[in-house]
């Protein structure tokens, strides 16, 4: 069976995130998983290390990302690669932080 292209609107995916959640995995195919993360000011990023490499793209807002022993500011347009099994989390955002993420599987 031939695969079909899939089209997404990031705004639609954001509205599908429940009040008690902060992310939405919206694509999972052979070797790729993608989703959107929405952190409100003061909301905790509770993710744990993943078994796959991950790429982040900051769509909106600013804050900080701790990855391994490194801490850096991120803002709209930042792109960050986090290798598999590296502890990491976003924190310190004083405004809404919206991040597109992609996992290599």
């Amino acid at each position: 069976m031939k695969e079909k292209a899939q089209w997404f609107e990031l705004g639609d995916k954001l509205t599908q995130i429940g009040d008690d959640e902060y992310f939405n995995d919206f694509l999972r195919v052979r070797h790729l998983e993608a989703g959107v993360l929405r952190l409100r000011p003061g909301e905790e990023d509770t993710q744990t290390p993943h078994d796959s490499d991950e790429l982040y793209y900051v769509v909106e807002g600013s804050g900080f990302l701790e990855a391994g022993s490194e801490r850096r500011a991120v803002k709209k347009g930042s792109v960050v690669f986090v290798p598999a099994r590296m502890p990491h989390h976003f924190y310190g955002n004083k405004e809404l932080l919206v991040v597109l993420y992609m996992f290599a599987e």
Side-chain angles (χ1 to χ4, degrees):
M1 176 180 242
K2 192 172 186 176
E3 289 189 55
K4 295 182 180 182
Q6 297 182 49
W7 305 86
F8 306 97
E9 293 296 329
L10 195 57
D12 293 342
K13 298 304 167 192
L14 284 169
T15 63
Q16 295 171 358
I17 299 174
D19 287 338
D20 58 341
E21 302 172 314
Y22 69 95
F23 67 92
N24 173 9
D25 287 334
F26 60 81
L27 177 67
R28 187 170 285 178
V29 292
R30 266 189 330 264
H31 301 291
L32 179 68
E33 179 181 337
V36 62
L37 178 145
R38 176 201 65 204
L39 275 180
R40 295 179 180 108
E43 190 170 12
E44 185 180 2
D45 178 0
T46 60
Q47 64 181 306
T48 57
H50 317 293
D51 289 333
S52 301
D53 292 334
E54 187 172 21
L55 187 69
Y56 288 111
Y57 173 72
V58 179
V59 176
E60 181 181 332
S62 62
F64 298 90
L65 176 66
E66 181 175 337
S69 61
E70 210 170 345
R71 293 182 172 106
R72 292 218 183 160
V74 294
K75 63 182 192 249
K76 182 177 179 176
S78 294
V79 178
V80 182
F81 169 75
V82 178
R85 293 174 288 289
M86 177 178 278
H88 61 284
H89 70 279
F90 291 94
Y91 67 98
N93 55 304
K94 299 201 183 321
E95 57 189 350
L96 183 67
L97 181 64
V98 176
V99 180
L100 178 68
Y101 59 84
M102 291 159 269
F103 286 105
E105 296 198 356

